[in-house]
Amino acid sequence: MRYTVRSGLVIVTFLWALGPAQIIAQERSSPSTGSNPIVSTERPPKITLRVATWASAEEFELEQRMAERFMQLYPEITVEHESIPSSYREKILAAYAAGTVPDVFLLDSPIIPALMNRGLLVNLSPYEPQTGIDPDDYYEAVRAVFLNNGELLAFPKDFTPLLIYYNRALFRKANLPYPSEDWTWDDFLSAAKALTLDEDGDGKPDQFGSAFDNKLYLWQPWIWTNGGDLFAPDGTTTKGVLTSEKTLEAFQFLVDLRVKHGVTPPMVGVGNSRGGAIQGTVGMFYGGRLAMMPSGRWAYVRMRPYLQSGDLDVGVAPLPSRFKGQKSNVIYAAGWSVSKSSPHREWAVRLAAFLSSEEAQLIRAESPIGIPSLKKVAAIQASNDPFGIEQVFMEEAAFGRQSWGTKIDDFSRIEYILESALDRTLFGNEPLPVVMEKASQEIDQLIATNAAQSKDFAPLSGNSQIMGFLYWGCLLVLIGVGASIVSVRRKHRYELTTGLSFITPSFVVLFVFVLIPLVFSLYLSFHQWDIISSNKPFVGTSNFEALLSDAQFWKAISNTFIYTLHVPIGMVISLGIALLLSKNTRGMAFWRMIFFLPSVSSMVAIAMVWQWMYHPEFGLVNYGLRFFGLPPGTWLTDPKTALISLMIVNIWISIGYQMVIFLAGLKGIPSTYYDAARVDGANWWHQFVHITLPLLRPTTLFILVTSVISSFQVFTLVFIMTEGGPLDATEVVVHNIYRNAYDFLQMGYASAMAWILFLIVGAITWLQFRITRKRVTYS
Amino acid sequence: MLIPFIWMVSTSLMSEVEVYQFPPRLFPKEIKWSNYTGALTMLPFGRFFLNTFLVTTIAVLGQLITCSMAAYAFARLRFKGRDGLFALFMSTMMVPSIVTLIPAYLIVATFGWMNSYWALFTPILTSVWGIFLLRQFFLTIPTSYEEAARLEGASEWTVYWKVILPLSRPALATLAVFAFMNTWKDFLWPLLVTSKNDMRTLEVGIAMFSSLQGTNWPFQMAAAVVVLLPILILFMATQRYFIEGISLSGIKS
C-alpha cells in the first residue's frame, strides 16, 4: 500500500499550494464601489490610497514628501506612494488585467485614449469647484490635453513643448549669430550646414549641425509649422492630409537633413529615447559634437549640471517655422488620473487634486523636472533659472497644441506605421509620396477597424477566470495521475509512484506558474484581448489567419532563424576557451572570471559600450579596421549589417555561460580515460576527438538546446540596442510579440504568435534530441 | 571582455558631466567615491539587499532540491510517462515569458501575494533549465555505483541522496551559480509584483536611477557595481568546484 501513501502525498502537496489562494480569493471578491459624485466635506474614513508615479530615485523623496503632507491634512488616510521607474506601461496594464489598479496614477499621452475610450477614468471636471481647483490657473493648452468632450481625465502635473537646444560655443566658433525667435527653416538649414564640420580631415564630418531621430513625437510639430498635418481635424482619417503637399514637404525637409545635406549624424542605435544612449543624440550634444538638438524640457534635467559647471554653454530657440510668423508647437503633458475602480473615489480625487495643487507644484519646483502646469508656479520656476532656458519653454506654451497621440486610440501602432514608412525613405530610398500613401491607407484601415469594434467594455472584475483554469487543471492532473496509477500493472506501480514523487515538487511550481499561464495564453490566442478590459471576444482562428499575411511577423521569424546561426559559432569559441581554461594551474581562476564577466555585467552597460564600439565614425571597431587598412563597416546603422552586429554581441555575451557549463562537463570526464589513452599513445587531437567530444555530448546537447531556445527568444538585446530597426532588419519574434502585446494591446494576437514560435522551437529542439540520440547509439 | 565592466566601474566614479564626453573616456579625471555613498543612501539599499538576499537564498536552495529530484527521476528512474513528462517540462522553456507574464501575474494577484515574498520566490522554486542541466549530468555518471548501492538494499531515495548528489557537486555548483545570478538580476517580475519600496529588490532599485528625463549614470553604475559584487564573489568561491571535478577514483566499488 506504499503507493497509495505516495499518491496521497502528491495530492496533499497540490492542495497545500492552492489552499491559501482559495481563501484569499474569497476574501477579495467583493469590493464596494463608491459612486458619490460630490466630494464630501466630512472627515474621511480610515483608508489607504495608492498612488503610482514614474518617479526616479531623485524625485522619489519629493513625491514622498507630498504624500506625507496630504496625510497631515487627512490623518485618517494612509497614502502609499509607488514608484515605477521603468516598464510603467506594462505595470499599469498588468494592474488593469488583475484589477489591482492604483487609486491615483500619473498618465501621459500614449495610453490616455485607450483608457479614455473604455471609460476607465473618473471625469474630474465636476470635482474642480469642491477641490479648490480653478481651471484658469492652468495653461489652457496643457489642460486641453486631458479634456475629452468636456470631461477632464487628469489634473495636469507638468508639460513640455519641443525646442531646439543649441551649443552657443559652437555657434560662436563658426561666427554664426544665435537663432532668433522667429527663425525659419532656411535659417535652420544654413546654420546646420555651417556647423557640420570635418575637423580631422578624413572626408567625413565629425561635428554635425543637427540631429534627426525618427521618432514621431519629435517630428510631429515640424509638420504643423509648415501648415501640414497627419489627420483630418476630427481625427477620423489621414486621407488627403498625410499625403498633402505641405505634409510631404515637411517630411522631405527632415529626411533631406540626413539624406541630401548630411547635416545630421547617421543614426546609431535607437536608444535615444530610452534615457539617452551615450553615443546617441544626447551624448553627441553633451560632447560638443552636435550643434543643435531638437528635444523637450526633459533633456534639461540632466543638462543643468553641465551648464552649472561651465562645460556647456547652451541656449534654446523655438522650432523654426517654414515662413516667418507661422509658429506652431506641440504640448506633451503628464497628469494625475483617478481610476474608476477606486473604492474611495472622492478621497482619491482629493489626493489627485492635491498633487496638482499650487502647494505640491511649489514643492516640485524646488528641484524641477518639468514645467509646472500652473502658470504662477511656472513663472516662479522660470525666474529661478539662471540660464533663462525655462523662460523660453514657458513662453512656447502659447503656441502648443495637443498631440494626436492623446486623441486617437491605438496610436502606438499608428506611430509605428509612420516611423516605419519614414525609415523606408531614410534607409531604403523609397520616394516619400509612395510610402506615405501606403501608410495613409494602412492607418485609415486601422481606424475604420477600430471604430467598427464594440465600444461596450465590461467593467473591471477581479479576473477570476484564471482561477477556473487553475482548478480545472488541477482536477485533470489529479485524475490523470490517479488513472495512470490504477492502470499500471501492480509491479510497476512502485516505480511510477516513486518517479512521480520525485517530480512532484517541480511539477507543482511549473504547473501553477508556467503551465497554466501557457494554457491560458493558448485560450487567449483564440480570443481578442486588450489587457485593460475584461472583454475577451472569441474570434476563432482569425488571429492565426491574420498571422499568415502579417509580413512583419514572417520577417521577424526569418530574422530570428538567421540570428540563431550564431549559436554553433559561439559554441566552438566557448569550447575552445573552456579547454584552454580547464587546466588547474595558477591564474586560471582570474581568466575564467574575465570571460564570465560579460554574462553578469549590466545589460545596459553592455549595450552602451557596444553601441559606442560600433559607432561608424568614432567606434573602436572601425578604428581597428582602419588601422589594419580594412574598409570600415556600417554596423548598426545599416539594415544589411545590423543583425550580424547583434549576433556578434551575443556570441560575446554568451561565452561566459557556455564556458562554465563546458568546464563542468569537461571535469565530469573521468581522468582515467585520458590516462588509458595516453598509455596507448594517443596524441592530443585523438584524445579530443575520441574521448572529450563523445563524452561531452550530453553537455554539448544541453548547451546547444538551451542556447538555441534562448536565441529564439532574444529580446533584451534588440529592445535596448535597436528596437528592431533599421528598416526591421533586427525585428525578432519576441520583440514583435512584445510590440503587439504591450504597445498595440493585442494580447490575443501576441499569444497566437507566441504559440507559433513555441511550435517552431519545440520542433527544432525535438530534432536536436533525435539527431544526438542517434549518434549516441551509433557510437 | 573587460570593457563593459571597466566602463561600469569608471562611470561609477565620474562626475555626471564627465559621462558624456565624446568620444567617451574610459577613466575619470578625478575619482568620485561619493557616488557610491550618494547612490546607496538615496534609496533604502539595505532593505533591497535584504529582500534580494532572502529571495535568492530560498530560490537557490529550492532549485537545488527540486531540480535534482526531478532530474534524478528523468535520468535514472524508469516509469510510465517519463519521457512524455520530460517533454512537457522542456516545452515550458520554449514559451517567451512575455506572454506568460500577465497570466502568471493574474495568478499571483488572485492569491493575494502582491507585495509579499511569496510572489517573489515561489515561481522560481524550480527551473526547467536546472532540471535539464542536472539530468544531462546525471546521465554521465556510470550506473555501476548505484547498482552496487541497490544490491545492498538501498532505496531510490538513498541512491539519490547518498550516491548521486555527492557525485554531482560540479553540476550542483553550476546550477547554484546560475540560479543565484538569475534571481539576483531578475527585474521585470519583481517590479510587477511589488509596489512598496520595502519589498523591492536590488535590480529594481538600480532602475530607479533612470527616468524619462534621462539616467543618472554615475549613481546607477555605482549601484550596479555594488550589486554585481556578490555574484563575482560567489563565482570565485564556487569555481573550484567546477575545476575540482569528481574524484571518481576515490569511490571505486
Side-chain angles (χ1 to χ4, degrees):
Chain A
M1 287 296 111
R2 260 171 98 177
Y3 66 89
T4 35
V5 178
R6 277 159 199 278
S7 40
L9 267 175
V10 174
I11 294 165
V12 167
T13 326
F14 236 100
L15 292 181
W16 166 80
L18 296 171
Q22 203 172 3
I23 298 161
I24 292 157
Q26 277 167 3
E27 276 174 7
R28 294 168 38 97
S29 59
S30 57
S32 62
T33 314
S35 55
N36 184 2
I38 296 159
V39 172
S40 84
T41 46
E42 296 161 29
R43 298 308 298 172
K46 261 208 159 336
I47 51 169
T48 301
L49 291 177
R50 289 166 55 222
V51 50
T53 71
W54 50 75
S56 69
E58 285 138 325
E59 298 164 69
F60 186 78
E61 211 193 307
L62 280 183
E63 296 296 332
Q64 197 67 32
R65 249 169 73 194
M66 274 174 253
E68 274 154 25
R69 179 75 188 108
F70 187 77
M71 288 192 270
Q72 271 175 14
L73 296 173
Y74 300 100
E76 299 88 346
I77 298 179
T78 312
V79 179
E80 278 176 7
H81 171 222
E82 173 180 356
S83 137
I84 307 159
S86 60
S87 306
Y88 190 81
R89 189 182 170 88
E90 287 89 329
K91 174 110 186 183
I92 293 289
L93 291 177
Y96 264 106
T100 53
V101 189
D103 301 274
V104 178
F105 56 101
L106 204 51
L107 265 190
D108 69 351
S109 23
I111 205 179
I112 292 175
L115 300 177
M116 187 174 80
N117 289 346
R118 288 162 182 78
L120 297 172
L121 302 176
V122 173
N123 174 17
L124 299 172
S125 57
Y127 295 95
E128 280 184 321
Q130 288 97 329
T131 48
I133 287 216
D134 182 355
D136 293 338
D137 290 345
Y138 292 90
Y139 285 99
E140 204 189 328
V142 179
R143 196 169 166 276
V145 170
F146 301 108
L147 271 178
N148 176 51
N149 297 328
E151 295 196 2
L152 184 69
L153 300 167
F155 290 126
K157 178 179 179 259
D158 47 22
F159 72 98
T160 181
L162 290 183
L163 293 184
I164 308 252
Y165 290 85
Y166 60 92
N167 187 325
R168 292 204 235 203
L170 295 183
F171 268 77
R172 283 195 300 268
K173 219 168 103 189
N175 281 323
L176 284 174
Y178 297 150
S180 68
E181 249 173 66
D182 57 348
W183 63 332
T184 62
W185 284 8
D186 293 337
D187 301 333
F188 173 79
L189 182 61
S190 59
K193 279 181 178 165
L195 289 159
T196 302
L197 303 170
D198 175 16
E199 293 197 307
D200 60 4
D202 66 350
K204 280 184 179 171
D206 30 46
Q207 176 188 308
F208 291 92
S210 187
F212 176 59
D213 297 325
N214 185 6
K215 291 280 171 200
L216 188 148
Y217 71 86
L218 285 175
W219 47 252
Q220 182 173 235
W222 288 79
I223 292 162
W224 297 340
T225 59
N226 196 35
D229 212 333
L230 303 174
F231 297 88
D234 62 357
T236 53
T237 180
T238 59
K239 202 172 166 64
V241 184
L242 185 61
T243 48
S244 71
E245 203 177 310
K246 284 178 170 171
T247 307
L248 290 178
E249 200 180 30
F251 277 130
Q252 195 67 53
F253 177 76
L254 292 167
V255 167
D256 281 349
L257 291 178
R258 169 82 220 124
V259 176
K260 191 170 160 194
H261 307 294
V263 294
T264 65
M267 274 152 275
V268 178
V270 205
N272 291 329
S273 58
R274 296 202 194 291
I278 287 192
Q279 52 301 304
T281 304
V282 177
M284 289 189 72
F285 186 77
Y286 288 179
R289 298 278 172 183
L290 189 65
M292 296 185 280
M293 172 174 75
S295 189
R297 169 65 178 69
W298 61 82
Y300 188 40
V301 176
R302 303 242 79 91
M303 202 187 290
R304 208 181 291 114
Y306 291 80
L307 302 190
Q308 278 158 352
S309 69
D311 284 71
L312 274 183
D313 183 7
V314 171
V316 277
L319 292 181
S321 45
R322 180 72 176 92
F323 304 105
K324 262 198 194 338
Q326 190 181 306
K327 285 186 73 147
S328 187
N329 213 320
V330 64
I331 293 283
Y332 296 116
W336 304 97
S337 293
V338 176
S339 166
K340 266 196 188 157
S341 64
S342 167
H344 318 291
R345 185 180 297 182
E346 49 209 279
W347 299 105
V349 172
R350 283 250 150 146
L351 176 59
F354 173 79
L355 291 169
S356 171
S357 69
E358 190 178 322
E359 183 177 0
Q361 298 212 6
L362 279 171
I363 296 179
R364 255 180 235 117
E366 286 170 25
S367 59
I369 59 135
I371 310 165
S373 56
L374 285 167
K375 287 182 262 187
K376 192 173 146 194
V377 184
I380 295 174
Q381 188 172 307
S383 67
N384 289 337
D385 176 25
F387 306 105
I389 285 177
E390 301 268 22
Q391 186 68 31
V392 185
F393 267 107
M394 209 179 81
E395 283 163 9
E396 199 65 11
F399 306 99
R401 67 178 259 201
Q402 183 177 5
S403 161
W404 285 110
T406 46
K407 287 191 211 164
I408 295 179
D409 205 350
D410 219 355
F411 196 73
S412 299
R413 197 186 323 210
I414 292 168
E415 206 167 12
Y416 178 67
I417 294 171
L418 284 169
E419 286 169 5
S420 306
L422 213 51
D423 255 5
R424 280 204 286 278
T425 301
L426 277 165
F427 293 101
N429 294 319
E430 288 183 48
L432 255 174
V434 178
V435 297
M436 284 302 159
E437 181 57 45
K438 258 193 245 165
S440 171
Q441 284 168 13
E442 208 178 326
I443 292 169
D444 283 355
Q445 204 186 351
L446 183 67
I447 293 176
T449 320
N450 286 345
Q453 264 163 23
S454 156
K455 286 280 176 278
D456 299 326
F457 291 100
L460 287 168
S461 66
N463 218 310
S464 50
Q465 204 177 8
I466 191 105
M467 291 313 279
F469 277 84
L470 202 50
Y471 290 134
W472 282 106
C474 266
L475 202 65
L476 278 178
V477 169
L478 292 178
I479 292 173
V481 169
S484 57
I485 290 176
V486 173
S487 71
V488 157
R489 275 200 219 112
R490 198 160 273 270
K491 65 171 190 178
H492 290 305
R493 271 188 199 163
Y494 174 73
E495 287 174 0
L496 180 62
T497 50
T498 313
L500 290 182
S501 48
F502 269 101
I503 287 168
T504 301
S506 314
F507 185 78
V508 171
V509 176
L510 282 183
F511 178 78
V512 177
F513 296 104
V514 187
L515 285 172
I516 290 298
L518 190 60
V519 175
F520 191 67
S521 80
L522 181 63
Y523 162 85
L524 285 178
S525 69
F526 295 101
H527 294 73
Q528 198 180 4
W529 189 36
D530 61 11
I531 306 178
I532 37 188
S533 52
S534 47
N535 293 45
K536 297 188 190 73
F538 178 73
V539 293
T541 53
S542 71
N543 282 332
F544 291 95
E545 283 160 30
L547 264 183
L548 289 177
S549 57
D550 184 343
Q552 214 205 2
F553 177 69
W554 295 107
K555 168 94 178 162
I557 293 264
S558 96
N559 280 343
T560 311
F561 266 99
I562 297 170
Y563 177 82
T564 303
L565 294 178
H566 81 272
V567 171
I569 305 167
M571 280 177 68
V572 171
I573 298 173
S574 302
L575 177 59
I577 291 170
L579 285 170
L580 285 175
L581 298 181
S582 69
K583 306 243 160 49
N584 221 350
T585 47
R586 200 167 271 279
M588 282 301 162
F590 172 75
W591 286 106
R592 284 182 210 118
M593 172 79 101
I594 300 277
F595 284 103
F596 186 63
L597 261 177
S599 59
V600 292
S601 297
S602 125
M603 200 56 198
V604 182
I606 290 172
M608 285 293 146
V609 170
W610 275 96
Q611 283 186 350
W612 164 48
M613 304 245 283
Y614 278 144
H615 196 289
E617 185 62 22
F618 307 101
L620 221 55
V621 178
N622 274 357
Y623 179 82
L625 288 177
R626 272 192 223 108
F627 185 82
F628 291 109
L630 294 165
T634 44
W635 307 112
L636 292 170
T637 57
D638 186 335
K640 287 193 206 79
T641 49
L643 193 60
I644 294 174
S645 309
L646 289 188
M647 289 159 74
I648 295 173
V649 177
N650 203 50
I651 289 179
W652 176 86
I653 294 175
S654 314
I655 285 177
Y657 161 71
Q658 297 180 347
M659 172 198 75
V660 168
I661 309 285
F662 269 130
L663 276 173
L666 284 173
K667 286 299 166 182
I669 301 173
S671 52
T672 43
Y673 291 138
Y674 291 106
D675 297 340
R678 237 171 272 134
V679 171
D680 291 345
N683 64 16
W684 178 86
W685 178 248
H686 280 125
Q687 288 180 27
F688 176 71
V689 172
H690 296 292
I691 300 172
T692 313
L693 275 187
L695 288 175
L696 210 53
R697 202 163 278 150
T699 312
T700 316
L701 175 69
F702 173 80
I703 297 176
L704 183 67
V705 167
T706 54
S707 299
V708 167
I709 289 177
S710 72
S711 164
F712 267 93
Q713 299 189 358
V714 55
F715 172 71
T716 317
L717 199 61
V718 171
F719 187 69
I720 300 183
M721 287 186 74
T722 64
E723 288 182 36
L727 214 57
D728 283 342
T730 57
E731 181 73 359
V732 289
V733 182
V734 178
H735 192 255
N736 205 229
I737 293 174
Y738 171 87
R739 223 195 261 283
N740 277 281
Y742 296 95
D743 284 348
F744 305 163
L745 303 181
Q746 299 256 6
M747 202 46 160
Y749 190 57
S751 300
M753 289 178 159
W755 270 83
I756 300 276
L757 177 67
F758 173 70
L759 294 178
I760 293 175
V761 180
I764 289 173
T765 310
W766 178 78
L767 218 68
Q768 289 169 0
F769 271 93
R770 272 297 296 267
I771 291 168
T772 43
R773 189 174 298 165
K774 260 188 199 156
R775 274 203 205 143
V776 170
T777 42
Y778 177 72
S779 69
Chain B
M1 285 296 138
L2 274 174
I3 296 176
F5 184 70
I6 293 175
W7 184 81
M8 284 172 72
V9 174
S10 71
T11 303
S12 75
L13 295 169
M14 282 177 183
S15 72
E16 227 187 315
V17 175
E18 265 180 296
V19 175
Y20 284 98
Q21 300 257 338
F22 206 92
R25 49 186 307 145
L26 261 189
F27 299 101
K29 262 184 280 181
E30 202 182 320
I31 288 178
K32 267 189 84 173
W33 292 107
S34 61
N35 289 333
Y36 280 82
T37 49
L40 296 181
T41 51
M42 189 179 266
L43 290 169
F45 265 95
R47 178 75 199 203
F48 294 166
F49 181 84
L50 188 79
N51 293 339
T52 315
F53 185 76
L54 200 75
V55 169
T56 307
T57 312
I58 297 174
V60 171
L61 291 178
Q63 287 191 26
L64 285 175
I65 296 167
T66 60
C67 294
S68 61
M69 281 172 68
Y72 175 67
F74 286 135
R76 281 303 205 239
L77 302 179
R78 245 176 228 118
F79 57 93
K80 196 187 157 195
R82 183 192 70 177
D83 292 345
L85 272 170
F86 181 65
L88 181 72
F89 271 48
M90 286 298 291
S91 71
T92 60
M93 277 172 81
M94 299 163 200
V95 193
S97 58
I98 277 177
V99 180
T100 52
L101 194 67
I102 295 265
Y105 178 87
L106 293 179
I107 290 175
V108 167
T110 343
F111 283 7
W113 282 357
M114 304 305 289
N115 269 316
S116 74
Y117 289 119
W118 295 100
L120 288 169
F121 71 71
T122 319
I124 45 173
L125 279 178
T126 195
S127 123
V128 177
W129 181 86
I131 294 172
F132 185 30
L133 175 83
L134 295 182
R135 172 193 181 262
Q136 293 305 93
F137 190 84
F138 292 168
L139 286 177
T140 63
I141 299 174
T143 47
S144 47
Y145 299 114
E146 48 186 291
E147 275 157 15
R150 286 218 182 84
L151 281 179
E152 287 166 28
S155 72
E156 297 298 348
W157 293 93
T158 318
V159 173
Y160 158 74
W161 191 254
K162 292 268 168 68
V163 180
I164 298 291
L165 284 191
L167 283 173
S168 315
R169 261 188 301 179
L172 290 173
T174 314
L175 172 61
V177 167
F178 283 101
F180 185 93
M181 207 171 92
N182 291 336
T183 316
W184 197 260
K185 292 184 58 163
D186 199 10
F187 169 72
L188 198 52
W189 181 255
L191 178 81
L192 280 186
V193 297
T194 61
S195 52
K196 296 178 192 165
N197 254 0
D198 53 2
M199 284 310 297
R200 290 215 152 140
T201 58
L202 289 168
E203 204 63 29
V204 180
I206 294 178
M208 288 180 75
F209 292 110
S210 281
S211 71
L212 300 173
Q213 286 81 35
T215 301
N216 186 338
W217 287 107
F219 275 34
Q220 186 168 64
M221 285 306 132
V225 168
V226 174
V227 167
L228 187 57
L229 285 181
I231 301 181
L232 294 185
I233 292 169
L234 183 82
F235 181 76
M236 283 308 262
T238 49
Q239 67 156 342
R240 77 190 166 86
Y241 289 104
F242 313 142
I243 307 323
E244 177 185 78
I246 9 171
S247 42
L248 285 174
S249 48
I251 0 172
K252 265 186 191 136
S253 43

